Every structure is written in structure tokens, then in C-alpha cells.
Amino acid sequence: MRSPIYFIVKPLDDKRYTNTKDIDGVDFITSTSEENHMASNRLGVVVSTPLGYNGEIEVGDLLLVHHNVFKFYNDMKGRRQSGKSFFKDDLFFIEDDQFFMYKHNDQWVCHDRYCFVKPVPVEESFIMKLGKEEPLIGIMKYPNKYLSSQGVNSGDKISFKPESEYEFTVDDEKLYRMYDHQITMKL
């Protein structure tokens, strides 16, 4: 079964939500809200690629998807429904703009214009800074092809535009998803 234009995926570990944490062999629920975007599963396993697709993504690879892909919603009458990506059983259609990165051969690769930046701890300064992270500065973790062609590589310290941080957890690490045009300079 293949779609002419969509990737077909299933949620990693067959879970729509990642709202549990294992503590000494006991699963504790960390969020009971189906509306909490931070608790929705963002990893999908590719079941099939689109017809005529000849890119790097293969069956079995992981896609890092938008937080709304696997979530449940309540309709006007309060009935639990799946979102627009739902196909059947535990399968979902993923459009080209609904995923940001894919894991192929144990390597994460950014898709399209997306890149991922690791926040850095606050640096000592004469200026008072709130929070635990340096504002507007980070380490490039996963650049896309365009940024690599411009000399921005993994491990480079960069700055980015305000309000461009969209938080993800990738391999147990906090990262910000950004567009390449939101990276303002290599430091």
C-alpha cells in the first residue's frame, strides 16, 4: 500500500503520546492532557514512501513530525476524533511540510529548510540575564544542506532571531527547530 503523494507512518512504539516516564521499572504518567503538545509523540516510523519517491528516506526510517500529527481532538459534540493525518488503524499520512528531520542509517538529516540548534547555558556577563539559557545563541546540532553550503556546520556557535525557538527532544536532548533564514550569524 503506497500513497501517490504522502509518506505513510505509524507512531513509534505504537504510542500517540509520550506522556509516561519509567522510574525504577514503574511507568509514571507525566501528563493526562491530550491537548498538551509537549506530551504528543513526535516520532513516526515510515511504513511506505510515496509512489515515485526516490529520495534517501526508506521504509523503517524515523520521521520527526509536527506535534499535531498523532494527537486526538474532541469534535463539536465532545466525541474523540483523530486529526486530518489519520488514515486507518495506526497509520497516518504525512505531508512534505509535516516533518522536519528524518533518521536514516542512525544519522539525523534535516528536511527542507529546517535546522536544529542546541541551547547553551547562560554565560557569565555584566548584563543580567533571566533563565538558564543564553538568549539568541546556540550550537548548531543539525544543519540543513543550505546552511552547510554556507559554511555553517554541526558544532558551530550561532545566533538566531528572537521568537524562533520551537522546542523538541531529539535523542534525549533539548533542541530548537528553526528555519535556515532564522540563523543570523556564525559566531
Side-chain angles (χ1 to χ4, degrees):
M1 162 180 50
R2 294 178 75 189
S3 166
I5 55 176
Y6 301 122
F7 289 92
I8 299 176
V9 304
K10 64 179 184 173
L12 183 66
D13 298 329
D14 297 318
K15 293 172 132 182
R16 288 189 178 206
Y17 292 89
T18 54
N19 59 347
T20 58
K21 184 174 186 170
D22 184 307
I23 300 174
D24 290 331
V26 177
D27 278 340
F28 285 93
I29 296 173
T30 57
S31 174
T32 59
S33 170
E34 290 183 347
E35 302 301 319
N36 181 0
H37 73 281
M38 295 301 288
S40 64
N41 189 357
R42 295 183 182 187
L43 293 173
V45 179
V46 176
V47 174
S48 72
T49 59
L51 290 170
Y53 175 78
N54 50 4
E56 287 186 1
I57 300 173
E58 298 175 353
V59 172
D61 287 349
L62 285 180
L63 296 184
L64 186 66
V65 300
H66 192 275
H67 65 265
N68 285 337
V69 169
F70 303 128
K71 283 175 63 174
F72 286 111
Y73 298 92
N74 293 321
D75 67 9
M76 295 291 285
K77 295 184 178 182
R79 294 175 297 210
R80 187 185 208 199
Q81 302 288 321
S82 292
K84 74 174 188 126
S85 299
F86 181 73
F87 172 44
K88 67 176 190 173
D89 300 328
D90 213 10
L91 300 175
F92 296 79
F93 290 126
I94 302 296
E95 298 177 37
D96 197 50
D97 64 348
Q98 286 182 299
F99 73 97
F100 313 116
M101 197 163 52
Y102 59 92
K103 192 171 193 176
H104 179 72
N105 293 333
D106 288 327
Q107 295 285 324
W108 283 107
V109 179
C110 289
H111 173 67
D112 200 28
R113 304 225 21 230
Y114 303 109
C115 62
F116 284 79
V117 174
K118 180 180 178 178
V120 295
V122 172
E123 297 172 359
E124 191 171 319
S125 163
F126 291 107
I127 301 170
M128 174 68 167
K129 301 173 197 171
L130 299 176
K132 297 179 180 178
E133 298 166 356
E134 190 67 29
L136 308 179
I137 294 177
I139 303 295
M140 180 59 66
K141 182 73 175 187
Y142 300 109
N144 61 18
K145 291 177 185 174
Y146 172 75
L147 289 171
S148 294
S149 75
Q150 299 299 309
V152 179
N153 300 304
S154 182
D156 289 343
K157 192 173 189 177
I158 54 93
S159 67
F160 49 86
K161 291 181 181 180
E163 306 297 326
S164 57
E165 307 96 330
Y166 178 30
E167 187 178 324
F168 279 80
T169 301
V170 179
D171 294 337
D172 297 323
E173 185 174 39
K174 179 180 177 179
L175 300 176
Y176 294 138
R177 188 227 62 195
M178 297 180 190
Y179 291 98
D180 52 22
H181 70 271
Q182 294 171 320
I183 305 301
T184 55
M185 78 176 95
K186 180 176 166 180
L187 300 173

